[in-house]
Amino acid sequence: MSIGHTLLALLESGPRHGYDLKRTFDEHFGHDRPLHYGQVYATMSRLLKNGLVEVDGIEHGGGPDRKRYAITDAGITDVAQWLAQPEKPEPYLQSTLYTKVVLALLTGRDAGDLLDAQRSEHLRLMRDLTQRKRNGDLADQLICDHALFHLEADLRWLELTAARLDQLAKAVRA
């Protein structure tokens, strides 16, 4: 996820302080990974340097000065271009799991046990996500669905690999 583009897009509704940006980001996108304040302010500094935001005002108070950021026309254009660009699908052609299966076979370990353990871990996570989905709001439900669909694809791969394990063992040991 592009934190910079996300913060820029959040500024389109109006100027905000870094604290407000963090809170809004976390509310919508940070359920599992809330932003750190340092990340927000470092990102805002970079966006300011690149002319995508400007300081709309500074409030002096009992603590440090609070800058209020506003998106510039260049920032709006940048967000529009980012939103219009499709995300590159990730084909996972360099799978760590595949590497572990092959290495288990090459080193004489039981790759079937590895696949069983991985299947158990996937099923555990799927149960957790299904429970979270039941109790969550629409955003949580959609995020959980996305993860569950990927885990289901992984499970299909695990089953297919388990069914072809003898074939794979012959191929990698040849």
Side-chain angles (χ1 to χ4, degrees), residues 44-152:
M44 296 312 296
S45 289
R46 185 175 36 78
L47 295 172
L48 186 63
K49 182 177 136 196
N50 293 335
L52 302 175
V53 298
E54 60 191 10
V55 175
D56 185 59
I58 298 177
E59 295 176 14
H60 307 283
D65 291 346
R66 293 182 52 184
K67 293 180 185 173
R68 188 175 54 243
Y69 298 95
I71 191 168
T72 63
D73 289 340
I76 292 170
T77 300
D78 197 58
V79 169
Q81 290 171 346
W82 177 68
L83 289 174
Q85 182 179 354
E87 287 297 307
K88 181 181 177 190
E90 296 182 32
Y92 303 108
L93 293 178
Q94 293 297 320
S95 167
T96 302
L97 187 52
Y98 172 77
T99 302
K100 285 184 169 187
V101 170
V102 170
L103 289 173
L105 292 170
L106 287 172
T107 60
R109 291 178 173 86
D110 190 338
D113 286 349
L114 185 151
L115 292 170
D116 288 342
Q118 191 64 51
R119 185 182 305 106
S120 293
E121 186 59 20
H122 271 62
L123 291 171
R124 182 201 60 75
L125 181 55
M126 290 175 81
R127 283 190 298 274
D128 291 350
L129 288 169
T130 300
Q131 184 62 37
R132 177 177 163 180
K133 182 179 159 180
R134 277 192 202 111
N135 299 328
D137 59 10
L138 180 59
D140 247 4
Q141 291 169 13
L142 290 170
I143 288 168
C144 289
D145 281 339
H146 186 262
L148 285 164
F149 293 147
H150 282 274
L151 290 168
E152 286 173 6

Side-chain angles (χ1 to χ4, degrees), residues 7-42:
L7 295 177
L8 272 176
L10 292 174
L11 284 172
E12 283 198 40
S13 64
R16 297 176 188 226
H17 297 98
Y19 172 82
D20 296 328
L21 287 167
K22 179 199 173 349
R23 187 176 41 79
T24 303
F25 179 96
D26 289 350
E27 179 182 309
H28 291 289
F29 312 110
H31 292 97
D32 295 315
R33 274 192 167 165
L35 282 180
H36 296 286
Y37 285 106
Q39 189 175 12
V40 172
Y41 294 111

